[in-house]
Amino acid sequence: MTGCATAGGGDDTIEVGFALKAQDAPYFVALAEAVESLGQERGWEVTVLDANGDAQQESTNIDTFISQGKDLIFADTVDNDSAIPAINRAAEAGIPVINLDSGISDDAQNVTTVYSDNKQNGRLVGKAYAEAMGDEEIRSIIISGAKGNVAGLERRTGLFAGILETRLGVSEDEAWDLADEFEAQLSSKGSATNEEAGFSVLGQGWGNWTEELGLTSSEDLITANSDITTVLGENDSMLFGAKTALDNAGLGDVDLVAAADGAKEAFDRIKAGEYFATGLNSPTLVAEGGYDIAEQILVDGADPESFDEITLTEPQAITADNVDEFYDLGF
């Protein structure tokens, strides 16, 4: 990490760049719009460069911001490792880098990474669902994003922890341990059961975060497990696909429970009674968190090295009880 350049390059206008990995999903489009809007509110000049999922283009975009002498760079990186050299070049040039949404490896000299609390979002959703189910057995399948993805792992273990914590009456710490054991069983066997909690995951599909693959990855699981009560998911889009698969199979009384995202389409379905809950993964809150830290550095003179490595937004389970309150934070 390093100190920041003098803000404004001589005319007192703070200039920031946003190195965005792609705009191939509504979340990333909304994140870019939030970064631009919040900058305009402050009278800052904001430039967004889109890498279109190309790590080399991302590196070039960050180098462009360095050459332009930006006061600060926001970055939503293509992957954990490819952006490290470019981020470190920015730091060496005296330009702080704040990561938004995506993680970055420890070797990067960034200020912090701001993103939603995947584990606690999942846990709060799991708790809310377990409470709503009462003593009824939970027989579920789960649609996951991508193998090896850390955010997906955090989201599903959060769901498991919340369900087990509520069903068994154990402490949160004990629930996380049980959730890790449940995840290990699911990973090794393709299914997992905690009989005391009356909770089972009968199969796992991989939907690569999309509605289309959420549909195809859930079809065989639904056919093989027609008595399920629940489809769990690691984001909303995959569960939209699972809902189509359920409809095609004639299964109308199955709950849809997402650990995250907070898409407005999910909020609309919650209002309509077609969707139980989702976790709050708001691009607006992520952008606001980034700007709060940027202001502390560029306006108040805070030391970029004084911030925690990770900055999490407030977690929340969005259900029919509170969906109107959080609707405008969706995307």
Side-chain angles (χ1 to χ4, degrees):
M1 300 179 192
T2 183
C4 68
T6 301
D11 65 358
D12 294 330
T13 299
I14 293 176
E15 299 181 9
V16 301
F18 182 22
L20 179 63
K21 62 183 172 186
Q23 296 192 70
D24 58 356
Y27 180 93
F28 302 125
V29 173
L31 181 61
E33 291 174 348
V35 168
E36 290 182 300
S37 175
L38 291 168
Q40 290 169 1
E41 288 177 10
R42 291 162 171 77
W44 296 10
E45 182 178 312
V46 181
T47 302
V48 178
L49 294 179
D50 183 354
N52 291 309
D54 185 320
Q56 184 56 51
Q57 183 61 51
E58 176 176 79
S59 178
T60 299
N61 290 346
I62 293 173
D63 284 336
T64 296
F65 291 146
I66 295 170
S67 68
Q68 292 173 342
K70 298 298 187 188
D71 298 305
L72 182 138
I73 297 170
F74 293 119
D76 185 7
T77 57
V78 172
D79 61 55
N80 286 4
D81 297 316
S82 63
I84 293 173
I87 287 174
N88 289 352
R89 287 194 295 273
E92 290 160 7
I95 303 173
V97 179
I98 297 174
N99 282 74
L100 302 179
D101 178 55
S102 62
I104 193 71
S105 297
D106 292 342
D107 291 338
Q109 299 175 48
N110 63 313
V111 174
T112 188
T113 298
V114 183
Y115 59 84
S116 63
D117 193 335
N118 288 310
K119 295 179 72 173
Q120 289 298 334
N121 269 332
R123 171 177 168 264
L124 293 176
V125 170
K127 283 175 63 67
Y129 185 59
E131 289 166 2
M133 287 292 280
D135 295 332
E136 184 180 350
E137 182 183 0
I138 299 174
R139 300 182 308 278
S140 69
I141 59 172
I142 189 164
I143 309 302
S144 296
K147 293 181 180 180
N149 182 273
V150 174
L153 174 63
E154 290 180 341
R155 290 177 182 186
R156 66 177 176 269
T157 54
L159 285 171
F160 302 158
I163 291 170
L164 294 168
E165 180 180 347
T166 301
R167 287 251 156 152
L168 299 175
V170 298
S171 69
E172 181 180 345
D173 286 344
E174 290 173 312
W176 284 115
D177 289 340
L178 290 170
D180 288 339
E181 293 173 9
F182 196 89
E183 164 62 24
Q185 185 182 116
L186 177 63
S187 178
S188 64
K189 297 182 178 180
S191 62
T193 299
N194 185 302
E195 292 185 3
E196 184 180 357
F199 171 46
S200 58
V201 173
L202 302 174
Q204 182 176 27
W206 298 93
N208 199 34
W209 311 108
T210 69
E211 182 171 350
E212 179 182 6
L213 292 179
L215 166 60
T216 57
S217 66
S218 60
E219 286 176 324
D220 288 344
L221 289 172
I222 289 169
T223 299
N225 301 283
S226 59
D227 64 341
I228 55 173
T229 61
T230 316
V231 180
L232 304 173
E234 292 171 15
N235 80 344
D236 291 323
S237 292
M238 294 187 294
L239 283 190
F240 299 158
K243 177 65 165 76
T244 301
L246 289 168
D247 290 344
N248 291 342
L251 300 178
D253 192 23
V254 176
D255 297 321
L256 299 168
V257 183
D261 265 341
K264 284 187 176 178
E265 182 177 348
F267 292 169
D268 290 337
R269 293 183 183 219
I270 289 170
K271 286 185 173 187
E274 301 170 356
Y275 204 89
F276 178 77
T278 188
L280 183 62
N281 178 31
S282 169
T284 300
L285 294 181
V286 169
E288 287 177 351
Y291 270 101
D292 177 65
I293 293 167
E295 280 192 333
Q296 291 181 59
I297 295 170
L298 298 178
V299 178
D300 301 332
D303 181 357
E305 295 190 13
S306 65
F307 296 91
D308 292 336
E309 182 179 345
I310 301 296
T311 303
L312 298 174
T313 62
E314 190 73 22
Q316 183 67 53
I318 309 299
T319 67
D321 292 335
N322 62 6
V323 62
D324 289 331
E325 178 184 352
F326 291 96
Y327 190 87
D328 288 342
L329 292 175
F331 58 90

